[in-house]
């Protein structure tokens, strides 16, 4: 039935067999067009193909149909991201990330992203346990240290924020992580002058 085809689709995606995956997705949809697993699989397939619009649509469908894949909720939130999100986008991002960490409490990236989203909603107190959890799960990851710095700064703890951001810079493993940490340290430097 649909569940089996949905599982087969996931296996084909994992083994990098896009043609077979697409066939299994079709079979799952024919058996049950409302099965979230076929959309989970399609999202992963679209990500592999670097097809952002299709990925966004698939993950959104998966989430709306009640997917139990933490990753689908996380990616649906990621694909919503804009530099200047409005209140509605932040609220939706938050709901998706809350569901992601509910489904997988060990997902450090989802905890960090949820923390950053809560900071954007001016809810530093609610953000703190999430970024602390991310740091505890993956202490060597730069991203979590910078997320923690943002929360600490919002909570009026600028010295601790700087220490965390500096550690984030030291832990940076690539250009993205380095510039993320550097930009935040620059911001902290600016805020010192006021």
């Amino acid at each position: 039935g649909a569940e089996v085809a949905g599982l087969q689709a996931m296996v084909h995606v994992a083994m990098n067999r896009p043609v077979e995956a697409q066939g299994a997705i079709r079979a799952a949809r024919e058996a049950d067009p409302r099965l979230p697993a076929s959309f989970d699989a399609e999202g992963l397939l679209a990500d592999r193909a670097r097809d952002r619009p299709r990925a966004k649509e698939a993950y959104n469908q998966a989430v709306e149909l009640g997917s139990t894949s933490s990753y689908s909720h996380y990616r649906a939130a990621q694909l919503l991201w804009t530099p200047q999100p409005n209140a509605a986008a932040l609220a939706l991002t938050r709901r998706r990330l809350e569901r992601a960490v509910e489904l997988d409490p060990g997902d450090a990236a989802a905890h960090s992203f949820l923390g950053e989203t809560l900071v954007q909603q001016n809810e530093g107190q609610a953000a703190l346990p999430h970024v602390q959890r991310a740091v505890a799960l993956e202490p060597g990851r730069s991203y979590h240290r910078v997320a923690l710095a943002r929360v600490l700064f919002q909570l009026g703890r600028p010295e601790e924020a700087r220490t965390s951001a500096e550690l984030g810079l030291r832990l940076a493993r690539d250009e993205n992580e380095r510039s993320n940490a550097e930009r935040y340290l620059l911001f902290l430097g600016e805020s010192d002058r006021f």
Side-chain angles (χ1 to χ4, degrees), residues 10 13 16 20 24 46 54-55 58 68 79 85-86 141 150 183 192:
M10 293 299 268
V13 172
N16 207 9
E20 293 89 336
R54 198 177 116 218
T68 54
L79 292 164
N86 60 27
R141 281 296 309 280
R150 291 182 212 280
R183 274 199 314 271
D192 274 354

Side-chain angles (χ1 to χ4, degrees), residues 136-164:
L137 287 163
E138 295 179 349
R141 281 296 309 280
S142 170
Y143 174 64
H144 309 319
R145 299 291 177 168
V146 178
L148 178 59
R150 291 182 212 280
V151 175
L152 290 167
F153 182 78
Q154 192 172 80
L155 294 175
R157 294 155 67 177
E159 285 315 306
E160 291 169 79
R162 176 179 309 284
T163 303
S164 191

